[in-house]
Amino acid sequence: MLNLRKRNLAWQQLRRLSTAIRQSIEDEGDWSYSSEWWGSSSSSDGHTFFRSNSDKGNGVVSVVAYPSSRPEKCYWARTENWLQQRYEKIYPGCEHEGNFRILGYQWRNLHFNDDTRQSTVKVMAAYRESDPGSIYLMQQAECLAVPYVKSMVSAGLATIASCKYDLESAVCGRKLMKILCIGHGGGSIPLFLANKIQGAEVHIAEIDPVVISASVQAMGFPSYSVMTPSGSRAYSTPNPIEEVQWKGIHERLYLHESDAEKFLLENKNLYDLVFIDAYDGEDIFPHELWNTRSPFLNALADQLHPEHGTVVVNLHSDVDFRDADFSPAGAHLLPMGKYISKVCRAYKEVLLGSKSSYNGLAYVVSVPWVCNTSLVVCRGLGKSSRDMVLKTIMSKSLVVENILDLPFSCLQYLKRGFTLVN
């Protein structure tokens, strides 16, 4: 009874702390907008902006757009002024070329085979009065939609912050933070991290050139980030409008067309944080990415920082369930199936060592509202009880929320179904 009281008191203290330090920031990627992101089978307001066949296992790759209700038009002038001020600062003396005007905002969804929703981003469309025929897309970097993306970011940053890693210095640009993203989609995670963390250098390995084209042409991802096979920029100088939109951010994004295994074997970097979200057109997580004997996992182990290296993997839950199994409070959670258990054990075995050579641990959390699981493997968070680990990570999540000025609470993406991997 005493331990229970102490635990309840700790929860109350965390809630009070959260209430006291959080600001009221509107989250334009909140789950309440999910009907806008995805439309419905009967909706006729979706419009296809990109469609191409992939020869990398993703079938037909398409980008479908739906209108967004936020931000409201009364706030557009503020962004127009920001764009104009940026342009005048970067290109002084060119004010006569016309002001920026916003056309509107949209949700854009990346689909594989016209079915699987692979990624969702919000984009802004704008033009210049001097050239009304040209439209410029800008992905809204601070807006994360789809709960599993927020779960991955929340878990990854809160966990590495729990390893005595100086996240604040990285956020302020005083410290270099090397991040790797396996799988690109629309690019919301790498763009969010590069935008929020000034010291972040984000490498992205995407096997499918069609996905890269879709993200750049139809989802507002900066084209200057695209790399050639030789390791140089595909564009030697950034587009002037992209420079206005992304200066200070796109220079720290490196988007490589590469198989994940090939990328790791050819680029010997040491990564602080790794995100893996790599499902194909059949919605399958490739066996090569979790086979304990695969060159990929072993190369990843070699390039993960030994003191605080953290890996976050998006996994689809692989068991049947009924809605009745869920209570409003989330007391009855979707259990891990055999497939997820195998993936978790494989990552823990290879990244932490079968004989626990690293002082680390692995855990999973269930993502609210969708059937996804986030697996986290960390080398710097010492072994402890489930409650102690959860308490540490939850405490750091509040720090992360405030350092990065997040519009959403990390807690709801961390505490649901928190389970240590044995």
Side-chain angles (χ1 to χ4, degrees):
M1 180 63 71
L2 180 60
N3 290 337
L4 180 59
R5 287 175 180 172
K6 286 182 177 179
R7 191 179 309 166
N8 288 338
L9 180 60
W11 275 91
Q12 292 169 8
Q13 290 173 338
L14 281 171
R15 290 195 187 101
R16 284 199 296 270
L17 178 60
S18 179
T19 303
I21 61 181
R22 292 295 296 144
Q23 298 176 352
S24 178
I25 308 171
E26 182 177 12
D27 180 8
E28 294 180 4
D30 187 79
W31 176 251
S32 62
Y33 299 118
S34 59
S35 59
E36 291 187 13
W37 309 338
W38 292 335
S40 65
S41 57
S42 60
S43 64
S44 59
D45 54 351
H47 181 75
T48 300
F49 276 88
F50 180 97
R51 188 176 179 86
S52 183
N53 291 317
S54 163
D55 61 0
K56 297 294 185 179
N58 292 325
V60 178
V61 177
S62 59
V63 177
V64 181
Y66 294 92
S68 172
S69 62
R70 295 288 187 274
E72 297 175 355
K73 196 168 184 177
C74 60
Y75 299 109
W76 293 5
R78 182 170 55 193
T79 303
E80 290 171 344
N81 291 335
W82 175 81
L83 287 169
Q84 189 62 30
Q85 290 169 7
R86 289 266 292 184
Y87 188 87
E88 293 173 1
K89 181 178 180 181
I90 296 173
Y91 302 104
C94 297
E95 298 87 347
H96 63 280
E97 295 187 8
N99 294 327
F100 284 87
R101 291 290 178 259
I102 292 176
L103 284 170
Y105 293 80
Q106 289 181 332
W107 294 107
R108 296 205 172 186
N109 297 302
L110 180 68
H111 291 255
F112 290 169
N113 288 321
D114 296 323
D115 185 22
T116 304
R117 300 184 184 100
Q118 188 68 16
S119 181
T120 299
V121 304
K122 177 175 283 187
V123 301
M124 175 189 71
Y127 69 95
R128 299 206 74 188
E129 291 178 329
S130 60
D131 188 13
S134 296
I135 298 176
Y136 313 111
L137 295 180
M138 182 180 185
Q139 190 175 138
Q140 302 302 281
E142 75 286 349
C143 180
L144 289 180
V146 189
Y148 87 81
V149 175
K150 292 180 179 177
S151 175
M152 293 180 73
V153 168
S154 297
L157 294 177
T159 300
I160 197 170
S162 301
C163 303
K164 298 180 181 180
Y165 179 83
D166 188 359
L167 181 61
E168 184 172 8
S169 289
V171 170
C172 297
R174 298 192 302 268
K175 177 185 180 72
L176 176 64
M177 185 179 195
K178 280 191 173 289
I179 301 173
L180 172 63
C181 295
I182 301 295
H184 179 59
S188 58
I189 289 181
L191 197 54
F192 175 87
L193 295 170
N195 178 58
K196 288 289 188 180
I197 304 174
Q198 294 181 38
E201 180 181 291
V202 187
H203 296 206
I204 311 150
E206 169 56 55
I207 193 173
D208 194 342
V210 177
V211 171
I212 293 175
S213 296
S215 72
V216 171
Q217 295 176 26
M219 304 181 81
F221 195 83
S223 61
Y224 186 63
S225 65
V226 178
M227 308 297 290
T228 67
S230 64
S232 60
R233 297 279 183 184
Y235 302 93
S236 57
T237 57
N239 175 285
I241 300 300
E242 274 202 5
E243 189 80 341
V244 173
Q245 295 171 326
W246 301 115
K247 185 174 180 60
I249 295 176
H250 61 180
E251 303 94 333
R252 296 181 283 105
L253 288 166
Y254 303 86
L255 176 51
H256 301 264
E257 178 194 329
S258 177
D259 171 81
E261 177 184 306
K262 180 174 180 288
F263 179 81
L264 283 175
L265 293 174
E266 294 180 354
N267 299 275
K268 300 299 183 182
N269 294 302
L270 193 63
Y271 291 104
D272 303 298
L273 190 56
V274 179
F275 294 92
I276 302 175
D277 183 16
Y279 283 82
D280 62 17
E282 299 298 325
D283 217 17
I284 295 173
F285 187 56
H287 186 250
E288 293 79 7
L289 296 186
W290 60 276
N291 183 347
T292 56
R293 295 185 179 88
S294 73
F296 168 76
L297 265 186
N298 287 280
L300 179 60
D302 290 339
Q303 294 178 51
L304 189 64
H305 198 286
E307 296 179 359
H308 55 252
T310 300
V311 176
V312 187
V313 187
N314 173 45
L315 298 172
H316 291 181
S317 298
D318 59 344
V319 292
D320 294 328
F321 67 96
R322 300 177 181 176
D323 290 340
D325 292 335
F326 291 85
S327 72
H332 302 288
L333 301 171
L334 187 66
M336 288 191 296
K338 293 181 180 179
Y339 155 70
I340 287 184
S341 297
K342 289 180 180 178
V343 174
C344 292
R345 287 196 297 269
Y347 271 80
K348 181 180 180 183
E349 176 183 336
V350 177
L351 299 184
L352 299 183
S354 57
K355 296 182 180 180
S356 301
S357 55
Y358 290 100
N359 186 30
L361 52 81
Y363 70 85
V364 294
V365 289
S366 299
V367 182
W369 302 296
V370 292
C371 294
N372 291 65
T373 296
S374 292
L375 163 66
V376 182
V377 183
C378 175
R379 285 181 169 174
L381 193 57
K383 301 174 182 62
S384 187
S385 67
R386 172 195 176 277
D387 288 348
M388 286 301 298
V389 173
L390 178 57
K391 181 179 178 182
T392 299
I393 293 174
M394 286 176 57
S395 176
K396 286 298 182 181
S397 74
L398 299 174
V399 176
V400 169
E401 289 174 25
N402 287 277
I403 291 177
L404 273 69
D405 195 25
L406 297 183
F408 58 87
S409 169
C410 294
L411 287 177
Q412 65 178 321
Y413 301 102
L414 286 169
K415 64 184 181 182
R416 188 175 187 270
F418 187 98
T419 307
L420 294 179
V421 177
N422 296 324

